[in-house]
Amino acid sequence: MSAVNLALGTMHFGTKLDAPVSFDLLDRFVDAGGTLIDTADCYAFWADPSGHGGRSEEVIGQWLARRPGLRDRVFLSSKLGAEPGGSGEWPANRQGLSASAVKTAVAGSLRRLGTERIDLYWAHMEDRTVGLEETAGALAELVEAGTAARLGCSNHPLWRVERARQIARGHGWSAYTALQLRHSYLRPRPGAPVPGQNHRFGWVTDETLDYVRADPELSLWAYTVLLEGAYTRADRPLPEAYEHVGNDRRLAALGRVAQDLGVSRNQVVLAWLAGGEPAVTPIVGVSTQDQLAEALAGVRLELPAEHRRLLDGTA
């Protein structure tokens, strides 16, 4: 079974989804050729009675411990910086990206995951109370030690991403080679508030796509790609911010392509992302076997050129 360009989102593992259900989804994902598993040390603090994260990483670690030899077949992606770390309200009380926070966070993640290496380690959200050089140096030390294989950043403005990369290069350090942001086929009106999206710079823009196209070293991962079910579920309407004429045209194109190909709109969206230029790695959180099967089929779907042009509005 060939590998697929899909990351399994595990935000709810250990909280909304119990361990047996999580184990089953992980097994099915790997058996179907999946390798990318995405988590974070803060998942899911808002759903845990303790008010802290770590349950997702713990469940993944338990799953790996029960399946000897599987660790080298999967690619573990985790994040630091957003876990509540003290008194006060989140996000002001998050642990952040200081050198000491990086050291503490990675130790906890490695322990919970039961591994000696995180394949892609992300700065989850920016921390302007800490100098970019301090964060870049602390993360680079993890790569030097073999604790992290690659570095990425999520929900950062591009100017800070590039500045951090230049600082790292100037010192001969490992730098960010991946971005993780929110992206989907439909986009909200510029500046319109979107419920649940509290990262000011957490969006893929045309500038983001141009940046990734121009630098072969960079890869792009995207979250909330299926808009929490809004493409296919009547009980999950699109937020008001998505109501505009541009999306009316896109929805019509999406419906036509799905009908022509005999697939779901979710699958078309995933195929459009995974097979685009640049290719995007969709992160999809699932809670059922059917949702997982749909996502896997979506990223394996190859869109005919005429249908991609229709979706892009260039037909």
Side-chain angles (χ1 to χ4, degrees), residues 178-181 183 204 208-209 212 218-222 278-282:
L179 306 176
Q180 186 175 143
L181 300 157
H183 190 39
V204 168
T208 310
L209 296 173
V212 175
L218 279 175
S219 58
L220 176 60
W221 292 35
V280 176
T281 297

Side-chain angles (χ1 to χ4, degrees), residues 37-50:
I37 299 172
D38 185 72
T39 186
D41 66 355
C42 68
Y43 291 165
F45 73 83
W46 55 92
D48 194 281
S50 71

Side-chain angles (χ1 to χ4, degrees), residues 119-132:
D119 299 301
L120 180 48
Y121 201 36
W122 307 82
H124 201 162
M125 51 194 299
E126 63 172 334
D127 180 1
R128 298 197 184 186
T129 70
V130 176
L132 288 171

Side-chain angles (χ1 to χ4, degrees), residues 228-300:
E228 300 179 335
Y231 286 111
T232 57
R233 293 178 54 173
D235 64 329
R236 298 282 183 91
L238 285 165
E240 188 273 337
Y242 285 84
E243 296 177 4
H244 57 84
V245 293
N247 278 345
D248 291 343
R249 184 202 67 75
R250 288 197 151 214
L251 281 169
L254 184 62
R256 177 178 165 184
V257 172
Q259 183 175 22
D260 285 354
L261 300 180
V263 298
S264 71
R265 294 198 292 183
N266 280 344
Q267 288 171 312
V268 174
V269 171
L270 291 172
W272 180 79
L273 289 166
E277 176 55 40
V280 176
T281 297
I283 305 169
V284 179
V286 301
S287 57
T288 68
Q289 297 173 10
D290 287 345
Q291 290 173 352
L292 177 60
E294 179 185 44
L296 288 163
V299 295
R300 284 196 165 104

Side-chain angles (χ1 to χ4, degrees), residues 194-212:
V194 176
Q197 178 64 15
N198 51 19
H199 299 293
R200 179 184 177 190
F201 299 106
W203 298 91
V204 168
T205 65
D206 287 342
E207 184 179 14
T208 310
L209 296 173
D210 183 62
Y211 185 41
V212 175

